[in-house]
Amino acid sequence: YADYVRTTPVFIPWPKRALTGNASAVVMFLCVGALSLAAPRADAELVDGQVVRFQVRDADSGAALYSCVERIRIRDGEVEKKTVYQAPDQSDVMVERVRYDFESLRVNEFVSEHRKQGERIALRRDGEQLLIEYRPRAGVPVQRNDAMRWGPEMRMGKTLHHIIVRRWDDLAAGKPVRFDLLVPSKFDSYRFRLSLESSSGGDDRIFRLEPDSWMLRQFVSPMDFHYD
């Protein structure tokens, strides 16, 4: 097992031209990233104390963009993850912490900090209400929003592995899975779909995450999840 980072915390709908030296690491994950993930076990989505190591790679060149370590704890039905992303020079680029309910996948708390750019996202759920703070970079004011509510089909990037494992049979049969992907930095959610991109005929699968909207797909490249 390995889980998408984060996805995300956040997948940001952003034009491909945003991939410059100033582009957020989160943007790069969505626009050019491809994750290599180990084969899932439907009977054990997560293990308490598990340490997951994975890489985020450029989908075209295969070059490693980030090496990541994710540490997992499970307490009273709640999953806690801490993920550290390191650049090729082994410097820490981003650190994410998330807590969510294992059964419903509702996110209780999420914090993402970009060490180099100063971007920070903080989210806390209070009942059905989402309290979000966002700072795009160091030295700029923090934006706050408390108008969002957790919807019945809302999901966050950090829970994508669960969706893949729980809907494995449907996905492997070519049936897309659709949900509202929460994007805290935009104070909004967007309809995304997860579908089978290719299969080796054995256990290897590549699942593709992309916007459900044709318009958004013109600006946001897909992200592939490799299970082998």
Side-chain angles (χ1 to χ4, degrees), residues 146-171:
D146 60 1
M148 285 194 68
R149 299 183 67 83
W150 185 267
E153 295 189 3
M154 189 174 288
R155 298 291 182 266
M156 204 169 186
K158 297 296 291 183
T159 66
L160 285 178
H161 171 72
H162 298 277
I163 299 173
I164 291 174
V165 172
R166 294 176 187 183
R167 302 294 299 274
W168 182 271
D169 291 340
D170 287 340
L171 290 166

Side-chain angles (χ1 to χ4, degrees), residues 166-191:
R166 294 176 187 183
R167 302 294 299 274
W168 182 271
D169 291 340
D170 287 340
L171 290 166
K175 300 177 182 177
V177 175
R178 292 176 170 84
F179 51 88
D180 299 324
L181 189 66
L182 176 62
V183 184
S185 64
K186 297 296 183 182
F187 306 117
D188 207 344
S189 62
Y190 299 84
R191 195 68 171 174

Side-chain angles (χ1 to χ4, degrees), residues 4-35 56-59 65-66 85 93-94 96 110 112 114 117 119 121 134-136 181 183-186 192 209 211 216 219-224:
Y4 174 51
V5 298
R6 169 347 185 147
T7 210
T8 275
V10 188
F11 292 114
I12 301 180
W14 201 274
K16 296 177 183 178
R17 64 177 180 272
L19 294 179
T20 67
N22 295 324
S24 162
V26 175
V27 175
M28 287 191 287
F29 292 158
L30 178 58
C31 293
V32 301
L35 254 64
V56 178
R57 294 180 174 272
D58 186 292
L65 301 175
Y66 302 98
Y85 302 81
V93 175
M94 188 163 63
E96 293 177 346
F110 172 77
S112 173
H114 197 292
Q117 297 177 5
E119 181 186 43
I121 302 168
Y134 176 61
R135 183 185 66 197
L181 189 66
V183 184
S185 64
K186 297 296 183 182
F192 269 67
L209 181 71
L216 274 183
F219 297 97
V220 180
S221 297
M223 183 170 188
D224 291 339

Side-chain angles (χ1 to χ4, degrees), residues 9-201:
V10 188
F11 292 114
I12 301 180
W14 201 274
K16 296 177 183 178
R17 64 177 180 272
L19 294 179
T20 67
N22 295 324
S24 162
V26 175
V27 175
M28 287 191 287
F29 292 158
L30 178 58
C31 293
V32 301
L35 254 64
S36 295
L37 304 178
R41 289 182 50 191
D43 62 337
E45 295 176 37
L46 292 177
V47 177
D48 182 39
Q50 188 173 13
V51 177
V52 179
R53 301 179 189 275
F54 59 95
Q55 289 185 325
V56 178
R57 294 180 174 272
D58 186 292
D60 295 324
S61 68
L65 301 175
Y66 302 98
S67 296
C68 313
V69 177
E70 187 166 83
R71 302 182 185 279
I72 299 166
R73 294 182 60 189
I74 303 176
R75 295 288 185 275
D76 299 323
E78 183 181 67
V79 179
E80 298 180 19
K81 295 180 181 178
K82 178 182 178 181
T83 312
V84 178
Y85 302 81
Q86 289 190 330
D89 63 3
Q90 296 187 334
S91 61
D92 289 354
V93 175
M94 188 163 63
V95 177
E96 293 177 346
R97 297 175 178 84
V98 66
R99 297 188 298 108
Y100 59 87
D101 182 77
F102 179 82
E103 292 297 331
S104 69
L105 303 184
R106 291 203 309 179
V107 174
N108 298 320
E109 187 176 26
F110 172 77
V111 177
S112 173
E113 297 177 307
H114 197 292
R115 297 288 176 81
K116 297 185 181 293
Q117 297 177 5
E119 181 186 43
R120 187 176 190 275
I121 302 168
L123 178 149
R124 180 172 60 85
R125 186 175 60 81
D126 183 7
E128 299 303 312
Q129 187 177 24
L130 298 176
L131 309 176
I132 304 173
E133 294 185 354
Y134 176 61
R135 183 185 66 197
R137 60 186 180 277
V140 301
V142 174
Q143 305 169 28
R144 293 179 173 84
N145 188 298
D146 60 1
M148 285 194 68
R149 299 183 67 83
W150 185 267
E153 295 189 3
M154 189 174 288
R155 298 291 182 266
M156 204 169 186
K158 297 296 291 183
T159 66
L160 285 178
H161 171 72
H162 298 277
I163 299 173
I164 291 174
V165 172
R166 294 176 187 183
R167 302 294 299 274
W168 182 271
D169 291 340
D170 287 340
L171 290 166
K175 300 177 182 177
V177 175
R178 292 176 170 84
F179 51 88
D180 299 324
L181 189 66
L182 176 62
V183 184
S185 64
K186 297 296 183 182
F187 306 117
D188 207 344
S189 62
Y190 299 84
R191 195 68 171 174
F192 269 67
R193 68 185 183 197
L194 191 63
S195 59
L196 180 67
E197 172 62 16
S198 67
S199 172
S200 67

